Amino acid sequence: MLDLLKTFTGSPVGALHQLVLPHVTLILYPSADTVVILDASTLDLVRVLTFGEIYPGTQHLNQTISCVAVDSAMKVIVASMDTHIAAWLLSGNNTWRIHSSISLQDSDSVTTLDCRSGLLSVGSQNGLSVYTLILENDLLTWSKKWEARVATPSLAKFAPTLAFIATISHHDDLVRLYSTTSGRLVQDIPHPRPVTDLMWRFSQASRSGDPALYTITSDSTLRIFLPVIDAPHRLQLHASLDLFSSLPFIAAKLGSHSRKSTVMWLDKEVVRRTIKAVLASATEDASLQVKRLREIDEEGWDLFIRALGDGSMLVSAVANIDRRPPTLIRQFALSHTSSNVLSQLPSHLYLFPHPNGTSLIMVTSAPLTTFEVSPLAFFDGQSTGLYLNAKGLDRFPHEESKIRRLVRTPAGRGVAVVRVDGGEVWRVIEGESQLARGRRWSNADHVVVLDGGKLLATYSSETSVLTLHSEPISTLTILSITDLFSAPSKTAHECIVGLTSDSSIVYIHIESKPNPTLRLHSKNNLPLAQPPKVIIPVDPMSWSRDSSLEEHDTLLSISDDGELSFWIADDGTPSGWRCTGKVKTGRKKFALASCSSAKKSVLVVQLPDGQELTIWDSKESEFASGLEHRRIFSTSEHINDLDWTSTPDNQSILAVGFTHHVELLCQQRKTYFNDDPAWAICWKVDIRNYISCPIRDSIWLANGSFLIAGGHQLFLFGQTALQKDQEPLFQYVARHNGPLEDYHPQMLLQCLLWGKVELVKQIIVALSLAVRAIYEDPTQDFHWNAFPVEQYLRGQYMTSNKPSKRYNFLFSTPQENSLPDETVFSRHMVETLIEQLETRPLPHLTPNEHACLLVLIQTTLEIEEQRRALDANGLRYVISMRSFYILNRRVTSDPSSPRSNGAIPRSTGWRERLRYRDMVWAFHSESQGLLLSTSTAACSGRMLWSDARALGVFIWLNSVESLRAHMEVIARNEYMAGDNRDPTACSLFYFALGKVKLVHGLWKQAAWHKEQAIMLKFLANDFTQPKQKTAALKNAYALLGKQRFEYAAAFFLLGGSLKDAVHVCLRHLSDFQLAIALARVVEGSLGGPVLRDILHNTVIPTAFREGNRWLGSWAFWMLNRRDFAVRILVTPLRDIADALDIQVIEIGEPHYDDPSLALLFSQLRSKTLQTARGTSEISGRSEFNFVLQIARVFCKMGCHALALDLVRSWSFERPSISVPAPTEHPPTPYATLRRSLALDPKLRRRSSIMIDMDIASPAPTRKVSPERSLVRAPTQETIKEEGDLLARKAGLGSLLKSAKQDVRVPEFNMDSFSFV
């Protein structure tokens, strides 16, 4: 997603070094306190070796690496800084690790290095020394072999035979040869001019093992020294190549400037291997180019290349160097290219092997440039023989100065690099994949870059002057600026915002006529009671792209108690700033803060055990605290930097910078299938693969480019997809948090829950057609035509209008099509679709999502075929129940089945039970008999207790008779489940039903059981007697000691202690559903004391602790507190807990993240008088915010169309009762008898409202009928009205008042009539 596009590691000053590996050639050069390693063919960064890795004390010193040497045989790089020498080794896995180190005496700085085959020559201020590598105590160390006091060497190189060391010095024009073994001076070779470079030549074709020496003097003359025949340890001059000897006629015509040149010997072995490879692949043997290469190969010429001042290149050849004696040495010009092949004369030139074997790599410096050389064309003098691969930047002052921070323009198209010594501006070019260097400055305390890097403003605290670096320069005096940043503006130029030491905000405009000029627009303070702790800019990366520049927040202030306030510039207010929102975070002592374009704020707070990172949404309400993400980082992971960017569709991406890596966090789509965090790491940028120094700063640039500063180097990362399994960052973020496709399982599930079954069927049919297209043509990509949003805004119908069957005759059967119609939702179509999806999964769906998609398709088919008389809630339960079982079966299925072909991994996770949400749907269903039979069928007709617990049967069944009957079924199934027919497996359930004799009969058949005799004798007793009950309780406690908890609970029931049995289920079995089942069956009513105790002390505290509103609503409904059953769906849990007489110690997260909460609330709010009272205690504003919160949840889930449908179709009806105004006329009997509940028009749409609360009524207005003495009038309980203003507004007062009047009906008594 983000790959390294470009590095800015500094330009080389001196010579380059090379390390030739089998498949790549590396070039190296020192830059400040690092050694830069690049790929010679592309100049791509391979690694930056930091001297501070080995000598940490040098990290804060302003020193640079002076010398570098490479041992190609051992793959060791040696570098020196002052008196210290460090070495790195390339290991087998292509990683660089520390090899060894040496420290010289004080003031003896290293001046040159060379390393070959375990020998190290060190030239220093005091002379020359040689070290050898030894292994001591399992550590590689350098042992000094000898030291010689000589003139300070500037360059030293081992001979290929390791017999000699050749050195040069800046103090004279001599080349000195020393013996490697003893350090004795062997020979002085004088030169007419200072020697700038030397190199040893060794050829395997030579009959002698003595190498030749090439030297280059300051006039670019190359001299060839060969061993004397009688004294091979001495060298003598045999030839020299200068500019005039190469091109005598042309050079005479060149001016003095053009006479400058650079010469380099081409390694004979490298050239020979490449030429042989070219000749082997050549097709035209008769061409002149091929003949020339064959002649070079056969004659064995030594080739030299010279770059001339006019940009041309000259290749010279020297023949017969390997002949002994070398008497016939001759030189001649081989080829000469046209001018301007090179843009400028390089100081150094090198030729390396290319990985393809048939080309060469030419590297020139400075600037650092690499070419691909075609031998056929190049040695023929054609300019096409050079192909430019990459080119570095020219060196500029202070490029090796440490980077302090990065400052960007609002849109990220320009960035200022602030260094210890000044800095420079870079502009984003070439599709945001390259940076171009711009203006520079020398000294400033604050820097602002504007207009895509074209303008630069600096502020000096010493002079209090803000300077705009334009033509001409514009200045403005402003006192005490502490921070400075740029912001988008509606004018031609971006504006500048400054913060002063007294928390004032300075707003500065740039006028463009006639020249860019600074103008102070305003200076104000934010209208806050207390000065904020910090003021930071809101990242404008997203809305700065908008040309209209509508109103957007500019500043974020954070108070001492962690309150976030968002501000926008507004000239219409006295302070010039207007607050657009606040969020209370409760976070204090924060270390870092940042705010995104979408008003997502991140805070980093220091904790004793690490750092807390929290991400906050600006949309705070009673349903959302604003907290979206929280993560604790250990003390070893210190957060240094935060920065936001935005995708084109305004999704935020947060970069969290650490010491050596940056984590990119993006928002994750909410899902019903996984419990993933709201924010997750989508990518990790780790620069330890490139450099070991810490990250100084990191910043987002335009179009998702990311710039990291480490040391004095810059690393530019960008959006690419170099691998097939990767995708660009913005595309990845949009796929994980954007709107879902219609066929996504989450969209299908929500549509099913909200009653859009017909729409789901249409989507499945369309998906079938799209999948069939790619199934028939595998080369075709999957294409989906999105459904219009109007399809989601139609009415919600849980039943389908099936087309009527056609009959031709009165008693004929319906006509069936001989071929299935693939455009009609049918079993054949669904089975074909599932089979095709198993074979070829859809793109961009996780294995879990793909499995859920298949489950929902199959579930929709089963619902369609087996819908029968299910109501809406029952249908929702069946959807979840079937999905639950099908998905669990898929998880446990064989992934290597022939049908799946192993295409879909089954790592989707096992679920132990349905969610409480699904159980509540069944609880409020009016077709529970069908639900029970459907659930039993899903368990293969034999429901065990584990199945009943998974489905929550004893939670949602309402009928006591059904509860008892179903518990007896479970008891029988538990007994029959095992092969041994163990009575202990069913005793708990049969004892709860009071069927002790039945268990006694089962024990008679358990002859195999070791406890048969004891149990037969014990169960033969009469457990209605207190003595036998006590015996049963004693046995129960004994079983507890043996940890036979379920059997102990059974004996507690046998002893008549339901409370103890329930306690065992709760404490030891951790199964509150079993406790509820026993309590409901034994007590036989909803208001039993044990059941109420479970609900009060276990279920409700659990619901509050887990923030599970579904479980809490069910518990309150069971307690006949249906007003709270409605209120808990909407009201904050703390408000509910304060209104209860139940002690709630712990309250979890609010969890307003389930859209079905709104669905249940819409059903229950006017279902009964109690729920109407609970709804009336919810203000209209709270309900409005609740609907908005659910709509936001839909959007976070990717179901934007359903969010639109929700806010479009939601009815804010209030349960109220209209009471006609009293008239002065006395009431008539007819009016009294005809009085009824007068509901307002909105409430009349409901079929009925259940009266589930006692309503007090005053004395009757007429004489009561005579009462029989044996009949007592029921006492009526008076309920006090609450005086809540919001409740009255919602209609509670009128509801209760009218209800009291309406139930004021004369009591009916048959004795009042004189029947004879």
Side-chain angles (χ1 to χ4, degrees):
M1 283 187 289
L2 279 187
D3 297 293
L4 185 63
L5 301 180
K6 190 71 176 179
T7 57
F8 305 92
T9 54
S11 301
V13 179
L16 302 178
H17 304 267
Q18 68 271 5
L19 175 60
V20 180
L21 301 175
H23 302 292
V24 67
T25 299
L26 306 179
I27 57 175
L28 308 90
Y29 63 90
S31 178
D33 59 345
T34 63
V35 178
V36 180
I37 306 175
L38 305 178
D39 186 335
S41 60
T42 60
L43 299 186
D44 290 340
L45 179 67
V46 176
R47 177 74 185 181
V48 177
L49 304 177
T50 307
F51 207 82
E53 294 179 68
I54 302 178
Y55 290 97
T58 63
Q59 293 180 357
H60 306 289
L61 301 178
N62 191 19
Q63 295 181 342
T64 60
I65 292 177
S66 55
C67 307
V68 174
V70 178
D71 187 343
S72 299
M74 297 184 63
K75 300 178 183 178
V76 172
I77 296 176
V78 184
S80 66
M81 177 187 291
D82 195 17
T83 60
H84 304 294
I85 301 174
W88 296 266
L89 172 68
L90 180 62
S91 60
N93 55 355
N94 291 327
T95 57
W96 293 92
R97 59 182 181 87
I98 297 174
H99 179 268
S100 55
S101 62
I102 310 174
S103 293
L104 305 184
Q105 297 177 356
D106 295 341
S107 71
D108 190 15
S109 301
V110 178
T111 58
T112 183
L113 293 172
D114 193 26
C115 187
R116 186 182 291 269
S117 300
L119 289 178
L120 176 65
S121 67
V122 179
S124 62
Q125 296 289 342
N126 297 334
L128 181 66
S129 56
V130 172
Y131 293 80
T132 182
L133 190 63
I134 62 174
L135 186 64
E136 182 177 344
N137 297 328
D138 296 331
L139 294 176
L140 291 172
T141 58
W142 294 99
S143 175
K144 184 184 291 185
K145 191 173 183 180
W146 54 263
E147 181 179 6
R149 295 281 181 172
V150 299
T152 302
S154 60
L155 185 63
K157 289 191 177 181
F158 283 107
T161 60
L162 300 180
F164 305 104
I165 302 176
T167 67
I168 59 176
S169 175
H170 292 309
H171 301 291
D172 50 39
D173 302 334
L174 295 176
V175 175
R176 296 178 174 86
L177 299 182
Y178 294 91
S179 172
T180 304
T181 57
S182 63
R184 178 178 58 87
L185 179 63
V186 176
Q187 183 182 1
D188 288 333
I189 305 176
H191 284 69
R193 287 182 173 82
V195 180
T196 58
D197 197 5
L198 58 85
M199 61 209 75
W200 290 96
R201 173 191 182 276
F202 179 79
S203 176
Q204 297 178 353
S206 175
R207 290 174 294 179
S208 171
D210 300 325
L213 179 66
Y214 296 156
T215 64
I216 301 175
T217 52
S218 58
D219 59 350
S220 297
T221 299
L222 186 143
R223 291 173 174 82
I224 302 174
F225 295 87
L226 301 175
V228 179
I229 295 178
D230 297 335
H233 59 280
R234 296 188 65 84
L235 301 177
Q236 66 179 6
L237 179 63
H238 278 257
S240 63
L241 281 75
D242 58 12
L243 178 62
F244 294 94
S245 63
S246 303
L247 288 175
F249 301 105
I250 297 179
K253 300 178 182 180
L254 296 177
S256 59
H257 177 73
S258 299
R259 292 184 182 182
K260 296 180 180 179
S261 64
T262 301
V263 65
M264 177 59 64
W265 171 63
L266 304 184
D267 191 310
K268 188 175 182 179
E269 294 301 322
V270 173
V271 175
R272 183 183 61 84
R273 287 196 299 267
T274 304
I275 290 178
K276 286 185 176 296
V278 173
L279 293 176
S281 60
T283 57
E284 298 181 4
D285 294 340
S287 66
L288 294 177
Q289 294 179 348
V290 173
K291 289 181 179 180
R292 184 182 293 268
L293 288 186
R294 183 170 288 109
E295 186 178 10
I296 294 174
D297 179 51
E298 293 174 352
E299 295 295 333
W301 298 333
D302 278 50
L303 303 181
F304 301 85
I305 187 170
R306 182 181 296 274
L308 303 178
D310 61 351
S312 62
M313 305 190 72
L314 170 68
V315 178
S316 301
V318 177
N320 302 327
I321 291 181
D322 289 329
R323 180 174 296 182
R324 291 294 181 269
T327 54
L328 300 177
I329 290 181
R330 62 187 181 92
Q331 57 177 303
F332 52 91
L334 188 64
S335 64
H336 183 208
T337 66
S338 60
S339 60
N340 298 324
V341 173
L342 301 177
S343 58
Q344 62 188 88
L345 181 66
S347 303
H348 303 275
L349 190 149
Y350 308 89
L351 207 67
F352 305 124
H354 197 281
N356 61 20
T358 60
S359 301
L360 294 169
I361 301 171
M362 179 183 293
V363 178
T364 63
S365 175
L368 193 60
T369 311
T370 179
F371 301 88
E372 182 176 349
V373 180
S374 173
L376 284 172
F378 180 73
F379 290 119
D380 194 40
Q382 299 180 16
S383 58
T384 56
L386 286 181
Y387 175 77
L388 178 64
N389 282 340
K391 184 178 181 180
L393 299 176
D394 292 328
R395 185 175 178 83
F396 70 96
H398 309 301
E399 72 171 14
E400 294 185 354
S401 177
K402 298 286 186 181
I403 298 176
R404 286 182 172 175
R405 66 183 185 276
L406 303 173
V407 181
R408 69 157 181 256
T409 61
R413 303 202 63 83
V415 59
V417 179
V418 182
R419 301 181 183 268
V420 175
D421 300 322
E424 72 278 0
V425 175
W426 299 76
R427 291 181 294 108
V428 180
I429 59 174
E430 296 182 9
E432 290 77 32
S433 62
Q434 181 62 279
L435 296 180
R437 203 160 45 213
R439 297 176 181 266
R440 295 192 294 271
W441 72 92
S442 58
N443 188 19
D445 296 295
H446 300 284
V447 178
V448 173
V449 59
L450 310 105
D451 296 352
K454 298 177 182 178
L455 284 180
L456 171 71
T458 59
Y459 179 80
S460 174
S461 299
E462 182 179 357
T463 61
S464 299
V465 174
L466 177 66
T467 304
L468 180 65
H469 297 263
S470 58
E471 297 295 337
I473 290 178
S474 176
T475 60
L476 185 65
T477 301
I478 306 174
L479 300 178
S480 305
I481 289 291
T482 59
D483 197 7
L484 208 64
F485 54 89
S486 57
S489 173
K490 297 181 180 180
T491 61
H493 301 281
E494 292 159 343
C495 62
I496 301 175
V497 181
L499 304 178
T500 64
S501 56
D502 60 350
S503 299
S504 297
I505 302 173
V506 181
Y507 214 67
I508 303 169
H509 285 184
I510 301 178
E511 296 180 347
S512 57
K513 293 181 180 181
N515 298 309
T517 306
L518 297 174
R519 180 179 65 85
L520 180 61
H521 178 72
S522 63
K523 183 178 181 181
N524 305 99
N525 290 86
L526 295 178
L528 293 171
Q530 297 292 333
K533 183 176 181 180
V534 66
I535 300 176
I536 59 175
V538 173
D539 169 58
M541 182 69 79
S542 172
W543 54 272
S544 61
R545 292 191 292 259
D546 187 2
S547 58
S548 63
L549 284 178
E550 299 177 359
E551 288 190 346
H552 295 277
D553 295 315
T554 304
L555 297 178
L556 169 68
S557 66
I558 309 177
S559 64
D560 290 330
D561 57 356
E563 183 180 57
L564 310 180
S565 301
F566 302 90
W567 302 92
I568 188 172
D570 189 352
D571 294 335
T573 59
S575 63
W577 294 94
R578 174 166 50 89
C579 182
T580 61
K582 294 186 178 182
V583 177
K584 295 180 180 180
T585 66
R587 265 60 180 179
K588 301 179 180 180
K589 298 180 180 179
F590 54 88
L592 294 173
S594 184
C595 184
S596 74
S597 305
K599 297 176 70 171
K600 304 285 186 181
S601 304
V602 56
L603 297 179
V604 176
V605 179
Q606 191 67 43
L607 301 177
D609 55 345
Q611 288 180 305
E612 178 200 49
L613 182 142
T614 52
I615 299 177
W616 301 82
D617 187 10
S618 62
K619 300 177 181 65
E620 181 191 26
S621 68
E622 63 266 41
F623 306 104
S625 64
L627 180 63
E628 291 189 346
H629 181 65
R630 181 177 183 268
R631 181 181 173 188
I632 302 296
F633 294 89
S634 63
T635 54
S636 61
E637 298 179 292
H638 190 269
I639 300 175
N640 300 320
D641 184 39
L642 301 170
D643 196 38
W644 292 94
T645 191
S646 179
T647 64
D649 55 346
N650 293 334
Q651 297 190 49
S652 299
I653 306 175
L654 174 64
V656 183
F658 298 89
T659 304
H660 295 284
H661 70 278
V662 179
E663 293 181 356
L664 307 183
L665 276 67
C666 68
Q667 198 166 4
Q668 299 293 293
R669 187 184 298 115
K670 284 186 175 296
T671 174
Y672 269 27
F673 307 118
N674 298 312
D675 295 327
D676 296 329
W679 289 75
I681 299 174
C682 59
W683 196 251
K684 184 177 179 180
V685 180
D686 197 333
I687 68 168
R688 282 174 290 192
N689 296 329
Y690 303 103
I691 190 172
S692 62
C693 71
I695 296 175
R696 304 292 300 180
D697 198 2
S698 59
I699 200 167
W700 287 103
L701 299 180
N703 197 33
S705 298
F706 192 63
L707 187 64
I708 295 180
H712 66 281
Q713 283 116 349
L714 295 172
F715 303 83
L716 180 63
F717 293 82
Q719 296 190 77
T720 59
L722 299 180
Q723 301 179 8
K724 292 184 178 180
D725 58 344
Q726 291 186 10
E727 57 185 331
L729 177 63
F730 284 0
Q731 182 178 337
Y732 175 89
V733 172
R735 186 168 59 82
H736 280 74
N737 193 35
L740 291 172
E741 297 285 2
D742 304 299
Y743 60 82
H744 194 280
Q746 181 149 277
M747 179 67 83
L748 295 183
L749 176 60
Q750 291 303 319
C751 288
L752 290 174
L753 292 177
W754 285 79
K756 301 180 183 295
V757 179
E758 291 303 311
L759 177 61
V760 172
K761 290 163 58 180
Q762 295 174 21
I763 293 174
I764 294 175
V765 171
L767 180 63
S768 174
L769 297 176
V771 171
R772 186 176 63 178
I774 64 171
Y775 193 79
E776 296 174 352
D777 183 7
T779 61
Q780 183 179 351
D781 294 330
F782 177 77
H783 177 71
W784 176 258
N785 294 320
F787 273 46
V789 70
E790 290 78 13
Q791 294 285 91
Y792 292 86
L793 304 182
R794 294 178 180 175
Q796 305 174 14
Y797 301 101
M798 297 297 294
T799 59
S800 62
N801 299 322
K802 296 183 179 180
S804 60
K805 299 178 180 180
R806 297 174 57 189
Y807 295 86
N808 292 334
F809 301 99
L810 181 62
F811 297 104
S812 65
T813 59
Q815 295 179 351
E816 300 291 343
N817 295 329
S818 58
L819 295 177
D821 188 356
E822 297 297 335
T823 63
V824 177
F825 187 83
S826 62
R827 171 167 288 276
H828 179 269
M829 184 273 294
V830 169
E831 291 178 347
T832 303
L833 175 60
I834 291 178
E835 183 177 357
Q836 292 172 347
L837 289 176
E838 286 272 15
T839 306
R840 187 174 179 179
L842 295 177
H844 301 311
L845 286 183
T846 65
N848 199 4
E849 291 172 344
H850 207 283
C852 292
L853 173 62
L854 301 184
V855 167
L856 289 174
I857 294 174
Q858 186 173 348
T859 302
T860 305
L861 174 65
E862 295 182 4
I863 291 172
E864 179 69 15
E865 293 180 343
Q866 304 177 19
R867 181 174 300 178
R868 294 181 292 180
L870 286 176
D871 61 349
N873 287 336
L875 192 57
R876 294 183 180 101
Y877 169 80
V878 172
I879 291 171
S880 301
M881 185 267 295
R882 293 201 180 279
S883 300
F884 168 76
Y885 274 107
I886 295 174
L887 187 58
N888 276 356
R889 282 199 297 268
R890 292 181 60 84
V891 172
T892 56
S893 65
D894 183 10
S896 59
S897 62
R899 189 176 184 183
S900 67
N901 295 326
I904 303 176
R906 307 299 183 187
S907 58
T908 53
W910 171 271
R911 283 178 51 197
E912 293 184 353
R913 61 168 176 81
L914 285 176
R915 295 179 174 90
Y916 293 120
R917 175 192 66 231
D918 308 319
M919 301 176 190
V920 170
W921 290 133
F923 178 71
H924 290 290
S925 173
E926 298 180 359
S927 50
Q928 291 189 349
L930 291 177
L931 297 186
L932 187 59
S933 60
T934 304
S935 301
T936 303
C939 303
S940 302
R942 298 172 63 91
M943 183 181 291
L944 303 176
W945 170 248
S946 59
D947 301 313
R949 181 176 55 223
L951 298 178
V953 172
F954 287 86
I955 284 181
W956 55 260
L957 270 180
N958 288 322
S959 170
V960 177
E961 291 77 10
S962 299
L963 285 171
R964 295 182 61 87
H966 197 64
M967 179 167 282
E968 186 169 2
V969 171
I970 290 177
R972 181 171 61 252
N973 292 338
E974 290 284 352
Y975 176 74
M976 301 292 293
D979 295 335
N980 295 327
R981 304 290 193 269
D982 189 356
T984 61
C986 61
S987 296
L988 176 62
F989 305 105
Y990 277 128
F991 288 167
L993 295 169
K995 298 189 176 184
V996 181
K997 297 300 181 181
L998 177 59
V999 177
H1000 185 265
L1002 297 178
W1003 274 107
K1004 292 180 180 179
Q1005 303 176 20
W1008 57 271
H1009 205 290
K1010 63 180 180 179
E1011 297 177 352
Q1012 183 193 29
I1014 300 175
M1015 291 303 301
L1016 287 176
K1017 181 179 178 181
F1018 185 73
L1019 292 178
N1021 298 316
D1022 183 8
F1023 289 97
T1024 60
Q1025 301 297 324
K1027 179 179 179 180
Q1028 302 304 326
K1029 288 185 178 182
T1030 303
L1033 294 178
K1034 289 181 179 179
N1035 284 314
Y1037 286 113
L1039 291 170
L1040 281 179
K1042 297 179 181 180
Q1043 296 187 352
R1044 298 177 63 181
F1045 300 121
E1046 186 175 338
Y1047 210 32
F1051 271 78
F1052 276 124
L1053 290 179
L1054 193 61
S1057 180
L1058 173 62
K1059 185 175 181 180
D1060 289 329
V1062 164
H1063 180 75
V1064 171
C1065 296
L1066 296 175
R1067 181 174 181 179
H1068 299 287
L1069 297 177
S1070 299
D1071 190 350
F1072 84 88
Q1073 287 198 49
L1074 181 59
I1076 288 175
L1078 297 179
R1080 295 187 69 183
V1081 169
V1082 173
E1083 292 182 330
S1085 64
L1086 296 179
V1090 176
L1091 176 61
R1092 297 181 66 86
D1093 181 73
I1094 298 172
L1095 296 175
H1096 275 95
N1097 300 322
T1098 301
V1099 179
I1100 290 180
T1102 300
F1104 276 83
R1105 183 175 61 254
E1106 298 177 357
N1108 196 313
R1109 299 176 181 274
W1110 297 92
L1111 184 60
S1113 177
W1114 171 83
F1116 283 125
W1117 196 280
M1118 293 291 293
L1119 289 170
N1120 201 28
R1121 292 304 307 270
R1122 297 172 182 176
D1123 52 343
F1124 282 106
V1126 174
R1127 288 180 60 189
I1128 197 174
L1129 301 176
V1130 179
T1131 309
L1133 294 179
R1134 173 50 62 187
D1135 297 345
I1136 297 291
D1138 294 340
L1140 292 175
D1141 54 356
I1142 303 173
Q1143 185 178 5
V1144 178
I1145 300 176
E1146 182 180 357
I1147 297 180
E1149 293 295 329
H1151 290 307
Y1152 286 106
D1153 55 357
D1154 191 345
S1156 296
L1157 286 172
L1159 191 60
L1160 182 62
F1161 174 71
S1162 66
Q1163 286 189 13
L1164 301 184
R1165 57 182 174 181
S1166 299
K1167 187 173 184 178
T1168 71
L1169 283 180
Q1170 279 199 45
T1171 60
R1173 184 179 71 173
T1175 306
S1176 66
E1177 295 178 5
I1178 301 172
S1179 67
R1181 170 59 61 181
S1182 295
E1183 183 178 351
F1184 179 81
N1185 291 336
F1186 173 71
V1187 175
L1188 287 184
Q1189 171 65 18
I1190 298 301
R1192 294 190 193 103
V1193 173
F1194 265 135
C1195 293
K1196 291 179 180 179
M1197 297 174 66
C1199 305
H1200 294 68
L1202 295 180
L1204 178 61
D1205 181 49
L1206 175 68
V1207 298
R1208 180 177 177 270
S1209 61
W1210 185 268
S1211 175
F1212 291 91
E1213 59 185 46
R1214 310 303 297 174
S1216 60
I1217 298 178
S1218 303
V1219 182
T1223 61
E1224 296 181 357
H1225 301 284
T1228 62
Y1230 296 101
T1232 304
L1233 291 175
R1234 277 183 275 187
R1235 182 178 296 140
S1236 61
L1237 288 174
L1239 303 180
D1240 67 0
K1242 290 183 180 178
L1243 202 56
R1244 283 197 197 103
R1245 289 200 298 264
R1246 300 191 178 275
S1247 58
S1248 63
I1249 181 168
M1250 183 188 303
I1251 299 179
D1252 57 349
M1253 55 186 291
D1254 296 330
I1255 303 177
S1257 60
T1261 57
R1262 65 180 176 85
K1263 184 178 179 179
V1264 182
S1265 302
E1267 298 180 1
R1268 290 185 179 182
S1269 58
L1270 297 179
V1271 179
R1272 291 185 179 181
T1275 60
Q1276 298 192 6
E1277 180 182 354
T1278 303
I1279 298 179
K1280 296 181 180 180
E1281 296 185 32
E1282 295 183 11
D1284 188 6
L1285 177 61
L1286 296 178
R1288 289 197 182 100
K1289 289 183 178 180
L1292 174 61
S1294 60
L1295 171 66
L1296 295 180
K1297 184 177 179 180
S1298 178
K1300 293 175 185 178
Q1301 295 174 356
D1302 290 333
V1303 297
R1304 215 174 286 154
V1305 179
E1307 297 176 0
F1308 186 82
N1309 195 330
M1310 290 293 296
D1311 295 336
S1312 300
F1313 298 89
S1314 300
F1315 291 113
V1316 179

